[in-house]
Amino acid sequence: MGRHLKSRHIARFDSSDFVPMQAFGGTEGTMTWHNVSFDAATGRGSYLMVMAPGASSTPHRHDGAEEFFVLEGELFDFDGHVYRAGDFVRLEPGTTHTSLSPGGCKLLVTQWGQHETVGISHLEPIP
């Protein structure tokens, strides 16, 4: 029987290294992230994300669900819904959206599949 090595990974907003996140269209410095367990090949895993004041994502569709917990600040979805600190959100597979954070925010994000950029005409209000 093989030996399994176990380890513990701890990520904190105040002591983790954040790098620019270009996957969702953030311009340099407006969206940064710290990879916790995200695997780009599968589009699955979690990461810490910081959106600077005024940052917005490009319109995109997730093949798998997207879940995020707003830790600080507010996030406005394109359909006018506002997510505030303390909100845990699950967007079902196939959901298309784009988000904006006028005052900046901190999120814990988990993706359950790949995403693709879509045109603005593909956006529909999220029920």
Side-chain angles (χ1 to χ4, degrees):
M1 186 154 135
R3 182 173 177 213
H4 296 282
L5 298 177
K6 297 183 172 144
S7 62
R8 178 186 330 248
H9 301 278
I10 298 172
R12 296 179 51 93
F13 275 93
D14 61 355
S15 61
S16 295
D17 292 326
F18 285 79
V19 297
M21 180 178 215
Q22 318 257 292
F24 292 102
T27 57
E28 188 70 28
T30 63
M31 293 169 55
T32 57
W33 74 310
H34 175 81
N35 189 349
V36 176
S37 63
F38 183 74
D39 179 348
T42 64
R44 295 174 151 257
S46 299
Y47 49 90
L48 304 179
M49 182 174 168
V50 176
M51 293 180 75
S56 63
S57 65
T58 57
H60 58 279
R61 175 185 300 112
H62 289 271
D63 293 336
E66 175 187 23
E67 298 172 336
F68 57 91
F69 183 69
V70 182
L71 296 159
E72 187 176 295
E74 294 180 328
L75 185 66
F76 292 69
D77 234 332
F78 76 98
D79 62 359
H81 193 90
V82 180
Y83 308 111
R84 293 180 171 82
D87 289 345
F88 183 86
V89 181
R90 178 180 168 88
L91 301 176
E92 294 298 326
T95 302
T96 57
H97 72 121
T98 182
S99 303
L100 165 70
S101 185
C105 66
K106 291 181 179 178
L107 308 168
L108 167 61
V109 181
T110 300
Q111 286 183 217
W112 296 100
Q114 296 290 353
H115 75 275
E116 66 178 314
T117 299
V118 299
I120 198 95
S121 63
H122 288 94
L123 298 176
E124 297 177 3
I126 302 169

